[in-house]
Structures are given as C-alpha cells and as structure tokens.
Amino acid sequence: MSTPTVLLHPLGADSSFWTPVMPLLDRAVAVDLPGHGSEPALPVGAGIADLGSAVLRRLDAIGGGRLNVVGMSLGGLVAQWIAAEHPERVDRVVVADAVPVYPAGMQQMWRDRATSVRASGTAHVVDPTLELWFSRAFLDQDGPEVRRARTRLGATDPEGYARACDVLASVDTGDLLPRMVRPTLVVCGLDDADPFRAAVDRFASDVPDVRSVWLPGRHAAVIESSTAFADAVHTFLSGTEPDGGIDTKGSLP
C-alpha cells in the first residue's frame, strides 16, 4: 500500500485549496493549518515548530504513521520543519514556492500585513494575493480555482491570518535544511516572485537529497498547473524519476 500524502496549504487558504490536485494523487489528505479553516489559531508568539507540531498532532488523530509531506508557501515552511525535525515520520517531502527565510523587506511586509488585517480584516488582501498567486490570463478566466481562492481568502479568520503573518515575519529554517535527509522535491512557478525563485538554489545547495521542477505560473503554480504539478509529484513519490523528467540541479531557469 502506498504511503499517505498530506497536503499543506498557503497563508489565507484552507484544505480546499488542494481540490484540483487531490483526485490526481494516491492516498492524499489535505489538512487545515492552525488559524485557517476549521483549526483554531495558536497562541500569540507561536512559531514554525508550533505549527508543525500542531499538524503532526492532527495527523496522529486521523491515523498517524509515516507519510509524504507536500506543502506550499506557509505549508512549505511547515513541511521543512516536519522533514527536518521528524524524519522518522517522513518518506518524501515536496516544498513548493517557499523560502527558508524571507528577505528583510518581506519580513516587514508581513509585520505590516498582520497589523492591517487585525485592524481591517482580510478583505483588502484578497486581490493582491490573487495577483501574486495567479497569472493575469488565469485570473481573467475566473474559473473555479480563482473563485474558491477569493472566497476562502475573504473568509479566513483575521486573527488566525495575522498570527500566521507573525510566523512568516520571523521564521528562518536555514539551519534545518541540512537535516532534511529524506528525498526532497522543490517546486516553483516560473513567474513567481524573486525570493521564491532564488530559494530554489538555496534548497539545492543545502538540502542533501534534492531535485527541482519548474511549472508555468506564479506563486500558486501548483493550482494553475495542477496536472503538471500532480504528475511531477506522482513521479517523485513513486521513486521512478525518468531521465530529464526532474531537474536535479535546482538552478534558476
């Protein structure tokens, strides 16, 4: 029987983010991160270790055991922590459109975002987030993926969102990367923002067993190019990577 695969969503989403991908992967389960969907927020001051521990407790409650971990953005940071701190729980890990640490300008952006969301809710971050996540052509189609993301972002609990922003403003998993000893696939959108694209090289240099794949799209290329993403993940998780199918160098295209 294949190893279950847990899917971890980005900031402001919930488990429904993975709706286009779930049917394309074997034994996949998507869970809500703390402060998102049905999961209550963690206390003020919680960090990435607290988010990762909360996810593992949730997984223990629904079955536990070894698993593959797939995370995007905020979920990708959680996936890094789980893979490094609990390798005995992990077979393989996929980190999509994530960084180990944000540059100083983005750290301040997250602090400012936390303040504004606490004051005014999440409605004002919906459009900027969608423009980061999806290409203009994909947004203009206004398909179910875009509509789902718009609805979910606007409905996310402001305090849960803000506390996740607090985590993003301070997180640094750089010291964990050499301890991510399980086979790792790094995925990034070809048109994602520069820090996420540059992080592919950081992962390639610091993670012991790593390969990478680039997808058409921006920050949420895993959804905009969901079939290509699922194909890459399936190939990687099966351990039958064809020659030329997955780039093992990790350099910017």
Side-chain angles (χ1 to χ4, degrees):
M1 182 179 292
S2 62
T3 303
T5 297
V6 60
L7 304 171
L8 306 176
H9 61 77
L11 173 70
D14 66 1
S15 57
S16 68
F17 175 84
W18 295 107
T19 297
V21 176
M22 289 279 289
L24 306 177
L25 296 176
D26 297 331
R27 299 193 68 196
V29 57
V31 298
D32 294 337
L33 294 176
H36 295 72
S38 62
E39 289 296 305
L42 296 177
V44 172
I48 195 67
D50 301 294
L51 267 67
S53 297
V55 167
L56 289 177
R57 288 193 298 271
R58 172 64 176 149
L59 294 171
D60 287 341
I62 60 177
R66 291 178 67 87
L67 41 85
N68 300 308
V69 183
V70 178
M72 183 214 142
S73 200
L74 173 61
L77 281 157
V78 176
Q80 292 171 54
W81 183 87
I82 292 173
E85 296 289 356
H86 293 278
E88 76 284 355
R89 296 290 304 272
V90 176
D91 275 355
R92 292 186 169 226
V93 58
V94 179
V95 176
D97 296 274
V99 297
V101 60
Y102 285 97
M106 290 191 75
Q107 291 175 350
Q108 185 60 50
M109 180 202 74
W110 291 126
R111 288 190 285 269
D112 294 343
R113 179 79 61 86
T115 298
S116 68
V117 165
R118 285 184 168 108
S120 305
T122 59
H124 69 286
V125 305
V126 172
D127 286 343
T129 300
L130 293 178
E131 290 168 4
L132 171 70
W133 281 9
F134 301 121
S135 70
R136 173 47 53 189
F138 196 73
L139 284 173
D140 287 346
Q141 293 172 10
D142 199 32
E145 297 87 356
V146 173
R147 296 195 299 272
R148 184 184 304 111
R150 182 182 296 114
T151 299
R152 185 63 257 170
L153 284 162
T156 297
D157 172 58
E159 185 59 28
Y161 187 106
R163 292 186 194 182
C165 289
D166 292 339
V167 173
L168 295 179
S170 61
V171 68
D172 186 347
T173 62
D175 290 344
L176 299 181
L177 301 187
R179 294 162 51 196
M180 291 174 59
V181 296
R182 300 303 184 195
T184 300
L185 176 66
V186 176
V187 179
C188 193
L190 283 163
D191 296 317
D192 201 355
D194 287 345
F196 302 103
R197 288 166 45 83
V200 177
D201 282 341
R202 173 73 183 276
F203 290 122
S205 67
D206 291 1
V207 177
D209 184 2
V210 67
R211 62 281 286 151
S212 64
V213 64
W214 296 87
L215 298 176
R218 304 200 70 198
H219 192 54
V222 298
I223 299 302
E224 185 164 345
S225 298
S226 57
T227 300
F229 172 69
D231 286 346
V233 170
H234 177 78
T235 297
F236 170 67
L237 296 183
S238 70
T240 57
E241 299 151 25
D243 290 343
I246 294 179
D247 172 28
T248 59
K249 298 178 182 178
S251 58
L252 289 171

Short mmCIF file of all heavy atoms in Angstrom, two decimals, residues 8 15 30-31 35 48 61 67 78 94 99 102 111 119-120 165 186 194 205 209 212 222 228 239 249:
data_model
loop_
_atom_site.label_atom_id
_atom_site.label_comp_id
_atom_site.label_asym_id
_atom_site.label_seq_id
_atom_site.Cartn_x
_atom_site.Cartn_y
_atom_site.Cartn_z
N LEU A 8 -0.34 20.55 2.59
CA LEU A 8 -0.39 21.71 3.48
C LEU A 8 -0.49 22.98 2.65
O LEU A 8 0.36 23.26 1.80
CB LEU A 8 0.87 21.74 4.36
CG LEU A 8 1.15 20.45 5.15
CD1 LEU A 8 2.47 20.57 5.91
CD2 LEU A 8 0.01 20.14 6.11
N SER A 15 -7.82 23.63 3.56
CA SER A 15 -7.60 22.36 2.87
C SER A 15 -8.24 22.33 1.48
O SER A 15 -7.78 21.61 0.59
CB SER A 15 -8.12 21.21 3.72
OG SER A 15 -9.49 21.38 4.03
N ALA A 30 -5.71 16.45 2.73
CA ALA A 30 -5.38 17.85 2.96
C ALA A 30 -5.91 18.25 4.34
O ALA A 30 -7.03 17.90 4.71
CB ALA A 30 -6.01 18.74 1.88
N VAL A 31 -5.09 18.98 5.09
CA VAL A 31 -5.49 19.40 6.43
C VAL A 31 -5.41 20.92 6.53
O VAL A 31 -4.66 21.57 5.81
CB VAL A 31 -4.61 18.76 7.52
CG1 VAL A 31 -4.75 17.24 7.50
CG2 VAL A 31 -3.16 19.16 7.38
N GLY A 35 -5.32 28.32 12.65
CA GLY A 35 -5.81 29.64 12.30
C GLY A 35 -6.49 29.71 10.95
O GLY A 35 -6.86 30.80 10.51
N ILE A 48 7.16 28.38 13.91
CA ILE A 48 7.01 27.31 12.93
C ILE A 48 7.00 25.94 13.61
O ILE A 48 6.30 25.03 13.15
CB ILE A 48 8.12 27.40 11.85
CG1 ILE A 48 7.75 26.54 10.64
CG2 ILE A 48 9.48 27.02 12.42
CD1 ILE A 48 6.56 27.05 9.87
N ALA A 61 -4.23 12.13 15.11
CA ALA A 61 -5.64 11.94 15.45
C ALA A 61 -6.40 11.23 14.34
O ALA A 61 -7.44 10.61 14.61
CB ALA A 61 -6.29 13.29 15.76
N LEU A 67 4.46 9.22 6.35
CA LEU A 67 3.72 9.91 5.31
C LEU A 67 4.68 10.67 4.40
O LEU A 67 5.84 10.88 4.72
CB LEU A 67 2.71 10.88 5.94
CG LEU A 67 3.17 11.69 7.16
CD1 LEU A 67 3.89 12.96 6.76
CD2 LEU A 67 1.98 12.02 8.03
N VAL A 78 6.18 24.67 6.94
CA VAL A 78 5.80 23.62 7.88
C VAL A 78 6.38 22.28 7.43
O VAL A 78 6.90 21.50 8.25
CB VAL A 78 4.28 23.54 8.04
CG1 VAL A 78 3.88 22.38 8.94
CG2 VAL A 78 3.71 24.85 8.59
N VAL A 94 7.83 17.41 -0.43
CA VAL A 94 7.73 18.34 -1.55
C VAL A 94 7.52 19.73 -0.98
O VAL A 94 6.58 19.96 -0.22
CB VAL A 94 6.57 17.98 -2.49
CG1 VAL A 94 6.47 18.99 -3.64
CG2 VAL A 94 6.71 16.55 -3.02
N VAL A 99 10.25 29.62 0.91
CA VAL A 99 11.61 30.06 1.23
C VAL A 99 12.00 29.47 2.58
O VAL A 99 11.12 29.09 3.37
CB VAL A 99 11.70 31.60 1.30
CG1 VAL A 99 11.38 32.23 -0.04
CG2 VAL A 99 10.77 32.15 2.38
N TYR A 102 12.55 34.85 4.79
CA TYR A 102 12.18 35.96 3.93
C TYR A 102 13.23 37.07 4.01
O TYR A 102 13.81 37.30 5.08
CB TYR A 102 10.82 36.51 4.33
CG TYR A 102 9.67 35.63 3.89
CD1 TYR A 102 9.10 34.72 4.77
CD2 TYR A 102 9.18 35.70 2.59
CE1 TYR A 102 8.06 33.89 4.36
CE2 TYR A 102 8.14 34.88 2.18
CZ TYR A 102 7.60 33.98 3.07
OH TYR A 102 6.58 33.16 2.66
N ARG A 111 4.92 41.92 8.90
CA ARG A 111 4.55 42.62 10.13
C ARG A 111 3.47 43.65 9.87
O ARG A 111 2.50 43.77 10.63
CB ARG A 111 5.79 43.27 10.76
CG ARG A 111 6.77 42.27 11.38
CD ARG A 111 7.85 42.96 12.19
NE ARG A 111 8.86 43.58 11.33
CZ ARG A 111 9.97 42.98 10.92
NH1 ARG A 111 10.22 41.73 11.24
NH2 ARG A 111 10.84 43.63 10.16
N ALA A 119 -6.61 45.13 12.12
CA ALA A 119 -7.42 46.35 12.18
C ALA A 119 -8.61 46.32 11.24
O ALA A 119 -9.68 46.84 11.57
CB ALA A 119 -6.54 47.56 11.85
N SER A 120 -8.43 45.70 10.06
CA SER A 120 -9.43 45.86 9.00
C SER A 120 -9.93 44.56 8.38
O SER A 120 -10.70 44.59 7.43
CB SER A 120 -8.85 46.73 7.87
OG SER A 120 -8.39 47.97 8.37
N CYS A 165 1.01 35.51 9.78
CA CYS A 165 1.92 36.56 9.30
C CYS A 165 3.05 36.78 10.29
O CYS A 165 4.20 37.00 9.89
CB CYS A 165 1.16 37.87 9.08
SG CYS A 165 0.06 37.89 7.67
N VAL A 186 11.71 20.22 -4.80
CA VAL A 186 11.39 21.64 -4.70
C VAL A 186 10.69 22.05 -5.99
O VAL A 186 11.18 21.79 -7.09
CB VAL A 186 12.66 22.48 -4.48
CG1 VAL A 186 12.33 23.96 -4.48
CG2 VAL A 186 13.34 22.08 -3.18
N ASP A 194 10.70 36.97 -6.99
CA ASP A 194 12.14 36.66 -6.96
C ASP A 194 12.58 35.88 -5.71
O ASP A 194 13.40 34.95 -5.85
CB ASP A 194 12.95 37.94 -7.09
CG ASP A 194 12.91 38.53 -8.49
OD1 ASP A 194 12.50 37.79 -9.42
OD2 ASP A 194 13.29 39.70 -8.65
N SER A 205 21.50 23.79 -2.68
CA SER A 205 22.83 23.76 -2.09
C SER A 205 22.84 23.19 -0.68
O SER A 205 23.85 22.62 -0.25
CB SER A 205 23.43 25.17 -2.08
OG SER A 205 22.72 26.02 -1.18
N ASP A 209 19.47 15.66 -0.34
CA ASP A 209 18.96 14.82 -1.43
C ASP A 209 17.80 15.55 -2.08
O ASP A 209 16.64 15.38 -1.69
CB ASP A 209 18.52 13.47 -0.87
CG ASP A 209 18.06 12.49 -1.94
OD1 ASP A 209 18.11 12.85 -3.14
OD2 ASP A 209 17.63 11.38 -1.59
N SER A 212 14.52 19.46 -8.41
CA SER A 212 13.58 20.57 -8.55
C SER A 212 12.81 20.45 -9.86
O SER A 212 13.25 19.76 -10.80
CB SER A 212 14.29 21.92 -8.50
OG SER A 212 15.18 22.05 -9.58
N VAL A 222 1.10 25.48 -8.45
CA VAL A 222 0.63 24.14 -8.13
C VAL A 222 -0.86 23.97 -8.44
O VAL A 222 -1.34 22.84 -8.65
CB VAL A 222 0.89 23.80 -6.66
CG1 VAL A 222 2.38 23.81 -6.37
CG2 VAL A 222 0.16 24.75 -5.71
N ALA A 228 0.27 19.23 -14.26
CA ALA A 228 1.72 19.10 -14.34
C ALA A 228 2.32 18.93 -12.95
O ALA A 228 3.26 18.15 -12.76
CB ALA A 228 2.32 20.32 -15.03
N GLY A 239 9.36 7.27 -6.89
CA GLY A 239 10.77 6.93 -6.95
C GLY A 239 11.24 6.46 -8.30
O GLY A 239 12.31 5.87 -8.42
N LYS A 249 19.48 19.86 -10.58
CA LYS A 249 20.44 20.93 -10.31
C LYS A 249 19.84 22.04 -9.47
O LYS A 249 20.51 22.65 -8.64
CB LYS A 249 20.99 21.49 -11.62
CG LYS A 249 21.75 20.46 -12.45
CD LYS A 249 22.23 21.05 -13.75
CE LYS A 249 22.95 20.00 -14.60
NZ LYS A 249 23.40 20.56 -15.90
#
